[in-house]
């Protein structure tokens, strides 16, 4: 166990009655019974207070030992482990911090959170850059040519919206030497790191003693229809099915089985990185900042680490569309930079870093994959499916987690032929439009040999769903959602066009392999009395598929050279010259993965991140304390047990502590304040040789002595603000210094 110099716990961190806002919890209730009582979710409250582990950007220090970009699985791993290694850690996340109770549950709440980017290319013809919306919005849809990608923004990254399925990559896929470094191809090379991830994320299958789920029962029946009963099982998942603290000490709640995972679960049962890796990092002194969109990384001139340049979207700075990306802030990483902004984010950052002078392999942005994702529907089946999510399901008729079962067909002679079929759930925000989309889709495959009575029953079911999608006899409540992960050609690319990322996928949806999988789903559907409907979003987006698992772009090099990849076997970014790499610049997310995995990828991404972070720590002689367990964490009212001390430099320590105290006092008192942003530009003459202001202005303009400030002001407490003791903090960016001041 590593010693932690100057970092003794300031408290035991225990708060025994921590509950998520709005939840009535009786501590006398047994944690698990044979038939656990399913209670309606009531977590949303307009007056509720929510935990916050992120900090105001006004408290950002000028430099840290380690800077981590992004907060998904890779970023979360790096934050937790480096903080436990007694390093000063800064986490920069583009999105906002949201806890259970703050996620959208209706279409009206979800639409403002949708962020579009990319180049829209329906039918491969029209190419038009689309409006972006709010870059910090929870849902990020990057449209591309051939396929679109849906990911998440927020503290926790895509773990906030994924379906929680923890499945390891099969040995055949990891053993393909054409794609993977030899060190990873070795059997068992990731075993220790998978186990480490499991200890943190605590995956478990849907309990046998829990209520029966119609969609899971139907998937098992369909496995039997296909002759694949031996391939069916309940997936390990990171949904919580019991009350109590998780591995990091955060109090969790039993799932209310809402089926709302893909828009954000409000019942406190989702084990996103927010409640494990990131909360652990917070407890060990990591400092986390949201609404900070990293643009690029540059090496420091004298070799003492890297500068990370970012746009801060706080204080309404995002309203200045042009200025926010031209007047950047920056922070200095002395030892290590971990890129964990997700496949799309990390690849974009490296492409832009290369444009501004950082040498990187020419392979950057190439050989990306949609992980062979296929979405399809079994519409109007004979059996009830109950796969439409709702925030407060009837306890006697729960939807379940989004995914609970799998037909696992990855054990193939050729690993590229492997695939998995999982059942899914549609969140409430799409319930109102699903019926019309499925009915209007061309190319549907109907069940054969229906009697007149059966045909009439199908039509009546369709009418019933028009009245309400939640009619148990309606066609929508009898619709099975299929989620397939398989293998594709790894031929997608990302480039920057006018400084914006553009995705191109080649051959998606047209391969013989995809046709075979669609044929399999068609058989499973029609033999169960349903109508097979290929992805309705394929038509809606002009023959564009959609993936929720983009991977690659900064791929591992199979031989350690820049000719065959972007990163070393440890994730270090190659310079483009043979096997030379940038010391301390490390990728830890899905951008590393060099080929489709044929299964939900986050377990493997987490294991690879654990491995890369361990290797980086060894090279920098950082001892990671894996053993010490946290007490019960209370991010609502408590403080970190191991805060990192602020360096006692002349004046800096006192100023920082004073600002921290003012902010803490204002927040504790729920004081009213205000904040604003403005851009000031003009001309400035430096010197005392001109007395007249107007003459000085003309002279400065004539000499092109321009000045420009992008200024944000935050006053924390209006009542007590006065010249001698003001509670405000200014953040500005200008050409001379991009650090918040």
């Amino acid at each position: 166990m590593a010693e932690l110099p100057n970092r003794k716990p300031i408290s035991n961190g225990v708060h025994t009655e921590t509950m998520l806002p709005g939840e009535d919890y009786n501590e006398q209730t047994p944690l698990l019974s044979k038939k656990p009582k399913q209670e309606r979710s009531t977590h949303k409250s307009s007056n509720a207070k929510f935990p916050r582990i992120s900090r105001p950007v006004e408290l950002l220090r000028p430099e840290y030992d380690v800077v981590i970009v992004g907060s998904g699985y890779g970023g979360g791993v790096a934050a937790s482990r480096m903080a436990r290694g007694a390093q000063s850690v800064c986490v920069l996340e583009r999105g906002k911090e949201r806890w259970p109770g703050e996620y959208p549950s209706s279409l009206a709440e979800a639409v403002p959170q949708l962020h579009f980017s990319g180049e829209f290319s329906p039918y491969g013809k029209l190419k038009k850059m689309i409006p972006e919306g709010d870059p910090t919005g929870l849902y990020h849809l990057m449209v591309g040519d051939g396929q679109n990608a849906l990911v998440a923004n927020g503290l926790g990254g895509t773990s906030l919206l994924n379906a929680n399925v923890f499945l390891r990559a099969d040995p055949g896929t990891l053993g393909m030497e054409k794609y993977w470094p030899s060190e990873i191809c070795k059997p068992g090379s990731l075993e220790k790191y998978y186990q480490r991830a499991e200890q943190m994320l605590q995956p478990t299958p849907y309990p046998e003693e829990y209520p029966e789920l119609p969609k899971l029962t139907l998937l098992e029946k369909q496995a039997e229809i296909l002759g694949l009963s031996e391939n069916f099982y309940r997936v390990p998942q990171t949904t919580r099915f019991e009350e109590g603290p998780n591995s990091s000490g955060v109090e969790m709640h039993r799932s209310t089985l809402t089926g709302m995972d893909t828009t954000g679960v409000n019942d406190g049962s989702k084990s996103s990185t927010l409640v494990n890796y990131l909360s652990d990092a917070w407890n060990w002194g990591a400092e986390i900042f949201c609404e900070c969109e990293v643009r690029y990384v540059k090496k420091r001139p004298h070799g003492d680490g890297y500068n990370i340049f970012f746009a801060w979207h706080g204080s309404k700075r995002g309203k200045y569309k042009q200025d926010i990306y031209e007047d950047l802030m920056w922070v200095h990483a002395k030892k290590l930079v971990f890129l964990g902004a997700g496949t799309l984010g990390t690849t974009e950052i490296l492409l832009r870093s290369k444009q501004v002078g950082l040498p990187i392999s020419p392979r950057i942005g190439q050989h990306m994959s949609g992980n062979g994702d296929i979405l399809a529907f079994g519409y109007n089946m004979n059996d009830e499916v109950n796969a439409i999510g709702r925030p407060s399901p009837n306890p006697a008729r729960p939807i379940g987690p989004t995914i609970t079962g799998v037909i696992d067909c990855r054990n193939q002679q050729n690993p590229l032929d492997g695939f998995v079929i999982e059942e899914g759930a549609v969140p409430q925000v799409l319930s109102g439009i699903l019926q019309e989309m499925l009915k209007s889709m061309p190319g549907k495959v109907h069940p054969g040999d229906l009697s007149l009575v059966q045909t009439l029953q199908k039509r009546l079911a369709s009418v019933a769903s028009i009245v309400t999608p939640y009619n148990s006899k309606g066609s929508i409540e009898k619709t099975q959602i299929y989620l397939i992960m398989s293998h594709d050609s790894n031929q997608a690319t990302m480039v920057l066009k006018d400084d914006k990322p553009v995705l191109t996928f080649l051959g998606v949806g047209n391969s013989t392999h995809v046709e075979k999988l669609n044929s399999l789903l068609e058989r499973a559907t029609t033999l169960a009395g349903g109508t097979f409907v290929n992805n309705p979003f394929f038509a809606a987006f002009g023959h564009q598929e959609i993936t929720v698992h983009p991977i690659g772009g900064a791929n591992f090099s199979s031989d350690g050279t820049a000719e065959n990849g972007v990163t070393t076997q440890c994730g270090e970014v190659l310079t483009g010259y043979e096997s030379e790499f940038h010391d301390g610049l490390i990728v830890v997310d899905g951008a590393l993965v060099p080929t489709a995995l044929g299964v939900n990828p986050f377990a493997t991404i987490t294991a690879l991140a654990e491995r890369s972070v361990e290797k980086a720590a060894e090279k920098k002689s950082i001892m990671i304390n894996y053993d010490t367990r946290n007490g019960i964490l209370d991010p609502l009212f408590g403080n970190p047990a191991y805060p990192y001390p602020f360096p006692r430099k002349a004046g800096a320590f006192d100023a920082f502590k004073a600002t921290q105290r003012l902010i803490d006092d204002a927040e504790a008192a729920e004081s009213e304040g205000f904040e604003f942003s403005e851009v000031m530009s003009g001309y400035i003459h430096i010197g005392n040789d001109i007395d007249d202001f107007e003459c000085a202005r003309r002279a400065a303009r004539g000499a092109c002595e321009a000045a420009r400030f992008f200024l944000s002001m935050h006053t924390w407490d209006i009542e007590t603000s006065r010249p001698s003791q003001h509670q405000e903090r200014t953040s500005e960016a200008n050409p001379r210094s991009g650090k918040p001041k």
Side-chain angles (χ1 to χ4, degrees):
M1 184 188 304
E3 294 185 6
L4 303 175
N6 301 319
R7 298 184 68 188
K8 296 179 180 179
I10 61 172
S11 69
N12 61 12
V14 175
H15 182 73
T16 59
E17 296 181 354
T18 302
M19 293 182 290
L20 293 173
E23 176 72 354
D24 296 323
Y25 170 56
N26 180 357
E27 63 181 359
Q28 302 303 318
T29 303
L31 295 184
L32 192 61
S33 60
K34 184 63 178 176
K35 288 291 183 181
K37 180 181 178 182
Q38 299 299 316
E39 299 178 355
R40 289 184 182 268
S41 173
T42 57
H43 287 267
K44 201 151 192 174
S45 171
S46 59
N47 298 319
K49 286 185 176 180
F50 297 97
R52 289 292 179 261
I53 60 174
S54 61
R55 298 161 67 82
V57 77
E58 290 87 350
L59 297 178
L60 181 72
R61 311 182 194 203
E63 62 183 22
Y64 293 83
D65 296 325
V66 179
V67 173
I68 295 155
V69 181
S71 60
Y73 292 102
V77 168
S80 166
R81 302 324 186 188
M82 287 294 102
R84 282 177 169 265
Q87 304 300 294
S88 60
V89 174
C90 167
V91 179
L92 300 176
E93 164 57 46
R94 175 166 66 177
K96 299 175 182 178
E97 181 177 359
R98 293 178 177 86
W99 283 74
E102 297 184 277
Y103 297 106
S105 58
S106 68
L107 186 61
E109 293 173 340
V111 168
Q113 295 298 324
L114 186 57
H115 165 219
F116 292 94
S117 67
E119 188 175 63
F120 189 43
S121 303
Y123 307 101
K125 296 178 182 179
L126 175 69
K127 294 183 182 293
K128 181 179 180 181
M129 300 299 289
I130 65 172
E132 293 191 359
D134 181 3
T136 67
L138 181 58
Y139 315 112
H140 180 192
L141 179 65
M142 180 176 282
V143 299
D145 186 354
Q147 191 166 36
N148 308 303
L150 180 64
V151 294
N153 290 324
L155 192 59
T158 300
S159 74
L160 299 173
L161 303 182
N162 68 0
N164 311 320
V165 175
F166 190 101
L167 288 173
R168 300 184 180 194
D170 63 284
T173 296
L174 289 177
M176 292 191 291
E177 297 180 354
K178 176 183 177 181
Y179 301 107
W180 296 91
S182 59
E183 295 85 351
I184 293 176
C185 285
K186 295 176 182 177
S189 63
L190 294 182
E191 178 62 30
K192 175 173 72 170
Y193 307 107
Y194 275 125
Q195 290 184 9
R196 193 171 285 166
E198 287 173 351
Q199 290 169 2
M200 199 72 170
L201 298 171
Q202 300 175 303
T204 184
Y206 183 74
E208 294 285 349
E209 62 270 23
Y210 261 51
E212 181 179 345
L213 303 177
K215 65 188 182 77
L216 177 62
T217 302
L218 178 57
L219 184 69
E220 185 172 15
K221 177 180 177 180
Q222 290 175 303
E224 184 178 351
I225 289 173
L226 297 173
L228 297 171
S229 294
E230 294 183 357
N231 300 72
F232 172 84
Y233 58 89
R234 299 185 179 203
V235 296
Q237 60 181 278
T238 55
T239 302
R240 295 281 294 190
F241 298 111
E242 62 182 17
E243 303 277 342
N246 65 9
S247 61
S248 296
V250 175
E251 289 281 1
M252 302 292 292
H253 288 264
R254 172 193 302 133
S255 173
T256 53
L257 310 179
T258 64
M260 297 279 284
D261 302 80
T262 54
T263 52
V265 174
N266 282 315
D267 65 9
S269 67
K270 189 176 183 66
S271 293
S272 67
T273 60
L274 175 65
V275 297
N276 41 66
Y277 280 110
L278 293 173
S279 289
D280 182 70
W282 168 81
N283 192 51
W284 286 80
E287 297 181 352
I288 301 169
F289 303 91
C290 292
E291 298 184 86
C292 297
E293 180 182 358
V294 172
R295 302 293 285 171
Y296 54 84
V297 178
K298 290 181 72 76
K299 271 194 170 180
R300 300 267 291 188
H302 304 294
D304 56 336
Y306 299 86
N307 284 341
I308 297 88
F309 291 81
F310 66 95
W312 177 46
H313 290 270
S315 292
K316 302 294 183 181
R317 292 167 70 93
K319 297 293 184 181
Y320 297 88
K321 301 293 185 183
Q322 190 69 24
D323 299 282
I324 193 167
Y325 292 125
E326 292 184 350
D327 297 327
L328 301 176
M329 300 178 181
W330 54 268
V331 64
H332 173 203
K334 295 186 290 183
K335 297 180 182 179
L336 293 163
V337 177
F338 291 100
L339 296 176
T343 292
L344 304 180
T346 290
T347 303
E348 177 185 347
I349 290 167
L350 288 176
L351 283 167
R352 189 173 292 108
S353 298
K354 185 175 183 179
Q355 284 188 343
V356 298
L358 187 71
I360 296 177
S361 165
R363 296 279 186 173
I364 182 65
Q366 298 182 19
H367 302 295
M368 300 179 73
S369 166
N371 200 42
D373 282 6
I374 297 174
L375 171 66
F377 294 81
Y379 173 64
N380 210 352
M381 310 283 282
N382 288 341
D383 300 328
E384 181 185 354
V385 181
N386 191 28
I388 308 299
R390 61 180 77 188
S392 301
N394 186 330
R397 193 169 167 265
I399 292 90
T402 292
I403 296 173
T404 48
V406 63
I407 303 173
D408 191 340
C409 300
R410 290 180 291 159
N411 186 19
Q412 307 284 341
Q413 185 173 0
N414 181 355
L416 297 179
D417 292 332
F419 63 93
V420 297
I421 303 173
E422 298 166 352
E423 104 288 6
V426 172
Q428 185 185 46
V429 298
L430 296 176
S431 62
I433 63 173
L434 188 60
Q435 165 78 1
E436 194 57 38
M437 291 183 70
L438 295 177
K439 280 187 63 179
S440 61
M441 275 291 294
K444 296 188 290 289
V445 181
H446 299 278
D449 301 325
L450 290 180
S451 67
L452 182 61
V453 173
Q454 290 173 322
T455 301
L456 180 60
Q457 288 174 337
K458 297 289 185 185
R459 291 181 179 177
L460 289 174
S462 180
V463 172
S465 283
I466 295 175
V467 178
T468 170
Y470 293 106
N471 189 319
S472 61
K473 303 298 182 182
S475 56
I476 292 301
E477 284 286 60
K478 293 183 176 182
T479 294
Q480 180 79 298
I481 295 97
Y482 304 114
L483 306 167
I484 283 186
M485 278 131 275
S486 59
H487 292 268
D488 56 22
S489 59
N490 306 310
Q491 291 182 325
T493 61
M494 179 189 285
V495 297
L496 294 182
K497 182 177 179 180
D498 298 328
D499 201 38
K500 296 180 180 179
V502 173
L503 274 175
T504 302
F505 287 84
L506 301 177
V508 174
N510 298 320
S511 68
T512 303
H513 182 60
V514 171
E515 292 176 1
K516 177 182 175 182
L517 294 176
N518 281 332
S519 177
L520 191 69
L521 292 179
E522 175 187 324
R523 183 164 159 247
T525 301
T526 56
L527 291 179
T531 298
F532 177 66
V533 183
N534 205 340
N535 182 4
F537 300 98
F538 185 74
F541 285 106
H543 289 187
Q544 306 276 334
E545 290 285 355
I546 189 165
T547 178
V548 293
H549 301 127
I551 54 179
N555 301 12
F556 282 125
S557 171
S558 58
D559 64 358
T561 70
E563 183 179 354
N564 291 305
V566 181
T567 52
T568 70
Q569 55 106 0
C570 295
E572 299 141 320
V573 176
L574 293 162
T575 65
Y577 178 72
E578 296 183 350
S579 58
E580 181 183 75
F581 59 86
H582 295 288
D583 182 37
L585 181 59
I586 301 165
V587 177
V588 288
D589 57 25
L592 286 173
V593 180
T595 181
L597 296 174
V599 75
N600 313 68
F602 89 77
T604 300
I605 291 170
T606 308
L608 290 171
E610 289 277 15
R611 179 180 183 273
S612 291
V613 172
E614 180 186 85
K615 300 293 185 185
E618 291 172 355
K619 289 184 178 182
K620 299 294 183 182
S621 300
I622 296 171
M623 299 293 294
I624 300 174
N625 182 345
Y626 290 102
D627 300 325
T628 301
R629 294 180 61 85
N630 299 328
I632 303 300
L633 302 189
D634 180 13
L636 181 57
F637 298 110
N639 294 302
Y642 304 95
Y644 198 88
F646 194 86
R648 291 184 175 274
K649 295 181 180 179
F653 176 78
D654 292 338
F656 179 86
K657 295 300 290 184
T659 301
Q660 175 75 76
R661 185 170 58 253
L662 292 174
I663 293 174
D664 289 346
D665 290 348
E667 289 183 343
E670 299 183 355
S671 303
E672 292 186 355
F674 70 88
E675 55 186 315
F676 66 87
S677 294
E678 63 179 344
V679 175
M680 296 184 290
S681 60
Y683 301 89
I684 182 169
H685 178 75
I686 300 175
N688 56 7
D689 54 329
I690 302 177
D691 294 330
D692 182 75
F693 177 85
E694 184 61 27
C695 289
R697 186 192 68 80
R698 288 197 299 268
R701 182 168 184 172
C704 297
E705 295 174 333
R708 171 189 175 88
F709 294 91
F710 189 5
L711 178 74
S712 294
M713 178 74 73
H714 193 162
T715 296
W716 298 89
D717 189 340
I718 296 174
E719 296 298 325
T720 60
S721 291
R722 54 184 182 270
S724 61
Q725 184 181 346
H726 59 278
Q727 297 196 25
E728 64 237 10
R729 183 75 170 169
T730 302
S731 296
E732 65 179 73
N734 62 61
R736 296 176 63 87
S737 173
K739 293 178 290 184
K741 301 197 296 184

